[in-house]
């Protein structure tokens, strides 16, 4: 049984007893039942500090709050006034029970799945300046049945993971563990002060409108800049201290992976001019000696350009025309500024894999237009994988952690984290296995559809032997 179901069921049960009390004369003498709404509301509110923000519990807490406020005055007036409770008729009881059933049912149905036990180690990384954020490194390695690190006889390729925009590892921890079980050492990080209400609002605005409206795009640019600063602080520390952090990891087989703004930030960092020209076994390598790059659901907000202002046309003649033109400019000024098109998309000098949702199958790519441009203009091997029907959260653990979010975004129940781990592992195997630049650049001719509803578009890359195993 999912642990969070216990407070949800207790809260709903207390409220249900209060609501049906007028129907059962045996409950009338029990004056303490009048306090059950307050108790139910307290239990519902306690869920949030205990389990973090649970969106599926918000309707339940709100329904309890409404019933509590409606009955607060009689409760405070004492037992003599509470005696009128049995006069409540079906007009109150039936809608109240219906609302409770809907809110409680949603809380139970969209409760997070019980997570599998994860084997990881943590290392605290102190801030570089007073008052700065504290980072915690999370190290995932394959484990044998006894719980110790599995010995493979060879150094394990290293994958450094930049977590999602809000900096919480629970969005990718299962995926990191799955990669660890596939023979990789995976190092990610969390940071303090990364989930303030203002920051969460900026993330939502950027996610929803970052490729349409300038203010939302500016919020996305801020997120990408913050992620760059985080990575530039954490990743050098990992490289310099890898021998003590993960002795079995091979620092020369480093792959970078990031979700959301973290993936975009990695793409911009790897594409920086300072990172080019460093020779490696598979062409130029980016900063930190990266061998490959994985970007999941990155939108490249920093590459979108502001739309030009509307043309004013010829100068109006006549007083009335001048007034109308001024009113038109005033109304145009009330409209939100927009972004339109993209420029200077990142071009990583290392093999890159882009994981995007099924929305990228729309003509023009929609919010993924900059990602498609990065793929099709690449001078290095690159591939874009699209899972048909996948939502923006499906390549992470969020569909299991927050099923309600995934349902609202039309994602696949349970997500596609296992498929994402298989894709990333196969990508790294192909890069390590040998040169990839086997195809001449060609105009886009369509996507290859693979079994399982997976679409693949490649550039400079014979990626036809991809297998999800």
């Amino acid at each position: 049984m999912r642990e969070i179901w216990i407070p949800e069921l207790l809260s709903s049960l207390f409220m249900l007893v209060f609501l049906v009390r007028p129907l059962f004369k045996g409950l009338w003498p029990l004056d303490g039942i009048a306090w059950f709404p307050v108790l139910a509301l307290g239990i519902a509110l306690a869920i949030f500090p205990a389990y973090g923000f649970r969106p599926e519990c918000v309707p339940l807490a709100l329904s309890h709050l409404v019933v509590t406020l409606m009955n607060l005055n009689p409760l405070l007036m004492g037992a003599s006034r509470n005696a009128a409770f049995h006069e409540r008729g079906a007009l109150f009881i039936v809608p109240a029970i219906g609302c409770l059933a809907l809110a409680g049912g949603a809380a139970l149905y969209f409760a997070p799945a019980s997570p599998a036990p994860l084997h990881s180690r943590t290392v605290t990384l102190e801030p570089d300046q007073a008052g700065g954020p504290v980072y915690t490194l999370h190290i995932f390695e394959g484990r044998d049945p006894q719980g110790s690190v599995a010995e493979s006889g060879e150094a394990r390729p290293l994958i450094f993971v930049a977590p999602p925009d809000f900096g919480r590892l629970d969005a990718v921890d299962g995926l990191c563990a799955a990669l660890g079980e596939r023979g990789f050492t995976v190092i990610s990080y969390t940071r303090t002060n990364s989930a303030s209400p203002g920051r969460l609002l900026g993330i939502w605005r950027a996610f929803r409108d970052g490729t349409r409206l300038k203010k939302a795009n500016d919020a996305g640019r801020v997120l990408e800049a913050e992620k760059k600063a985080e990575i530039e602080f954490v990743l050098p520390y990992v490289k310099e201290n890898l021998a003590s952090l993960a002795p079995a990891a091979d620092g020369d087989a480093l792959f970078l992976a990031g979700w959301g703004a973290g993936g975009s930030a990695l793409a911009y960092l790897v594409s920086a001019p300072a990172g080019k020209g460093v020779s490696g076994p598979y062409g130029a390598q980016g900063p930190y000696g990266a061998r490959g790059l994985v970007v999941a659901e990155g939108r490249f907000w920093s590459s979108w350009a502001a739309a030009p202002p509307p043309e004013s046309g010829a100068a109006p003649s006549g007083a009335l025309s001048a007034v109308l033109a001024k009113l038109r400019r005033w109304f145009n000024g009330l409209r939100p500024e927009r972004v339109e098109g993209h420029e200077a998309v990142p071009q990583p000098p290392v093999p890159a894999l882009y994981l995007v949702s099924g929305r990228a199958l729309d003509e023009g790519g929609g919010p993924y237009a900059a990602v498609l441009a990065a793929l099709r203009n690449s001078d290095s091997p690159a591939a874009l994988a699209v899972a048909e029907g996948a939502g923006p959260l499906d390549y992470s653990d969020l569909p299991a952690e927050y099923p309600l979010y995934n349902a609202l975004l039309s994602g696949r129940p349970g997500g596609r984290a296992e498929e994402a781990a298989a894709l990333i592992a196969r990508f790294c195997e192909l890069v390590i296995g040998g040169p990839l630049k086997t195809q001449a650049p060609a105009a886009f001719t369509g996507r290859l559809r693979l079994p399982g509803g997976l679409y693949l578009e490649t550039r400079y890359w014979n990626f036809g032997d991809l297998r999800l195993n």
Side-chain angles (χ1 to χ4, degrees), residues 2 51 53-56 109-115 162-176 200 203-204 207 259-261 296-297 391-409 411-418 420:
R2 294 167 174 170
Y51 295 92
F53 180 70
R54 300 303 316 173
E56 69 276 4
Y109 182 80
F110 292 109
S114 300
D165 306 332
F166 45 88
R168 293 179 58 183
L169 188 66
D170 58 7
V172 292
D173 52 2
L175 188 143
C176 291
L200 293 176
I203 293 171
W204 170 246
F207 173 79
W259 273 251
E297 283 300 315
L393 307 181
D394 277 14
Y395 299 116
S396 68
D397 298 328
L398 284 174
E401 181 69 17
Y402 295 97
L404 180 59
Y405 288 157
N406 197 51
L408 293 175
L409 294 171
R412 173 182 173 181
R416 294 175 178 261
E418 285 295 327

Side-chain angles (χ1 to χ4, degrees), residues 21 27 67 84 95 97 104 131 149 167 190 209 214-215 224 272 274 278 281 329 341 350 375 385 427 460:
R21 185 186 180 194
L27 298 178
V67 175
I97 293 178
V149 178
T190 55
D209 296 321
K214 185 176 183 303
K215 285 189 176 180
E224 290 174 346
V278 181
R329 287 194 297 270
V350 295
L375 169 76
F427 164 78
Y460 286 119

Side-chain angles (χ1 to χ4, degrees), residues 74-159:
L75 180 63
L76 295 177
M77 293 300 294
S80 61
R81 293 288 299 273
N82 281 332
F85 71 87
H86 55 78
E87 299 177 358
R88 292 196 297 262
L91 189 62
F92 170 81
I93 297 175
V94 173
I97 293 178
C99 291
L100 175 63
L102 290 175
L108 294 171
Y109 182 80
F110 292 109
S114 300
L118 302 177
H119 299 291
S120 66
R121 295 181 290 110
T122 59
V123 176
T124 301
L125 179 56
E126 295 298 330
D128 56 347
Q129 57 185 2
V134 177
Y135 295 93
T136 302
L137 302 180
H138 298 255
I139 305 169
F140 297 83
E141 297 172 293
R143 302 276 169 159
D144 58 26
Q146 286 72 39
S148 59
V149 178
E151 297 291 340
S152 63
E154 297 181 358
R156 302 164 64 93
L158 173 65
I159 302 178

Side-chain angles (χ1 to χ4, degrees), residues 1 10 134 214 222 225 301 330 335 345 358 365 370 431:
M1 182 177 185
L10 282 176
V134 177
K214 185 176 183 303
V222 169
W301 290 305
W330 182 76
R335 297 176 181 176
V345 294
V431 174

Side-chain angles (χ1 to χ4, degrees), residues 174-218:
L175 188 143
C176 291
L179 288 171
E181 298 298 332
R182 290 175 178 270
F184 297 89
T185 293
V186 184
I187 298 180
S188 188
Y189 66 91
T190 55
R191 54 162 289 187
T192 57
N193 306 322
S194 62
S196 64
R199 180 180 175 84
L200 293 176
L201 178 60
I203 293 171
W204 170 246
R205 291 179 61 191
F207 173 79
R208 186 185 61 181
D209 296 321
T211 57
R212 298 191 306 112
L213 302 180
K214 185 176 183 303
K215 285 189 176 180
N217 181 265
D218 290 341

